[in-house]
């Protein structure tokens, strides 16, 4: 569903753009087009609103110029970004910062989203079976590798989900993830 259609039903006061990555390329063809689609959301946040962006996203500087709202840039990726973004959203709604940070610290990812499981005989299992994209799977594999080292795990087993909607670049992206997975897990 296009963002424009959603905006006909509701105009947001606050918006979070996690990243612009190679997702939905089947429909949008290029990263620039993906970015333009997501910018549709933040262009509709009023000047009195807030837009939260990833400080490390390659499109962050451009996206920040596409809104009249206050822009908050948050560093990090994956779960760390999600927790920080949640605290920033909570602050918008006047939730006490200490309470928001405490709640964010207890957050666990939903099933299939970079869930770490301890296996038998010094094994770490990574469940990242939700529909993914090359950026999220790269982050998942690198995060799991680092975490397995921290835990002293001798083996890392990654159970990965589909990368759908990659269009003509599907084979290239799947080969790249396969090479990384071979090195990591």
């Amino acid at each position: 569903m296009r963002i424009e259609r959603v905006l006909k039903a509701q105009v947001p006061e606050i918006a979070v753009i996690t990243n612009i990555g190679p997702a939905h390329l089947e429909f949008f063809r290029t990263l620039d087009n993906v970015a333009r689609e997501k910018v549709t959301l933040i262009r509709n946040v009023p000047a009195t609103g807030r837009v939260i962006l990833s400080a490390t996203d390659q499109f962050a500087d451009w996206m920040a110029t596409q809104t009249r709202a206050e822009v908050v840039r948050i560093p990090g990726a994956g779960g760390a970004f999600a927790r920080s973004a949640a605290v920033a959203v909570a602050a918008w709604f006047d939730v006490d910062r200490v309470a928001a940070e405490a709640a964010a610290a207890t957050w666990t990812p939903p099933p299939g989203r970079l869930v770490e499981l301890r296996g038998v005989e010094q094994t770490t299992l990574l469940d990242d079976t939700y529909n993914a994209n090359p950026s999220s799977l790269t982050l998942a594999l690198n995060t799991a590798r680092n975490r397995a080292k921290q835990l002293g795990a001798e083996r890392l087993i990654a159970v990965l989900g589909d990368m759908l909607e990659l269009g003509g670049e599907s084979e290239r992206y799947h080969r790249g993830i396969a090479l990384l997975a071979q090195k990591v897990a």
Side-chain angles (χ1 to χ4, degrees):
M1 178 180 292
R2 301 293 296 258
I3 291 172
E4 193 173 82
R5 272 186 69 194
V6 175
L7 291 169
K8 288 179 182 177
Q10 183 67 44
V11 176
E13 293 178 42
I14 187 167
V16 178
I17 304 291
T18 56
N19 70 351
I20 306 297
H24 314 297
L25 290 177
E26 179 179 349
F27 308 110
F28 297 109
R29 307 256 188 253
T30 68
L31 285 180
D32 287 344
N33 289 341
V34 172
R36 278 192 279 280
E37 177 68 13
K38 290 188 178 186
V39 159
T40 302
L41 174 64
I42 65 174
R43 282 185 178 147
N44 283 277
V45 175
T48 56
R50 176 179 287 174
V51 171
I52 298 169
L53 302 173
S54 167
T56 58
D57 189 88
Q58 64 182 329
F59 290 92
D61 291 340
W62 173 72
M63 287 189 293
T65 68
Q66 301 301 304
T67 183
R68 299 166 294 140
E70 170 194 15
V71 175
V72 176
R73 296 181 192 220
I74 296 177
F81 174 84
R83 284 185 283 280
S84 296
V87 171
V89 169
W92 173 257
F93 291 103
D94 295 323
V95 174
D96 176 72
R97 184 171 188 86
V98 173
E101 288 174 348
T106 64
W107 176 79
T108 56
R113 292 283 190 151
L114 194 56
V115 176
E116 176 188 305
L117 305 165
R118 296 289 295 155
V120 297
E121 298 179 18
Q122 299 294 81
T123 301
T124 297
L125 294 114
L126 168 69
D127 173 8
D128 201 62
T129 52
Y130 189 84
N131 180 29
N133 66 62
S135 297
S136 67
L137 276 183
T138 298
L139 174 67
L141 288 168
N142 287 327
T143 299
R145 173 179 43 195
N146 294 338
R147 187 71 176 124
K149 285 179 185 176
Q150 288 174 349
L151 295 172
E154 294 176 8
R155 292 180 58 205
L156 171 62
I157 299 169
V159 182
L160 307 174
D162 294 326
M163 292 192 301
L164 304 174
E165 301 176 4
L166 294 177
E169 296 295 311
S170 184
E171 183 176 344
R172 180 175 70 87
Y173 283 124
H174 278 87
R175 286 185 189 280
I177 289 298
L179 289 172
L180 178 60
Q182 244 178 345
K183 292 177 185 175
V184 170

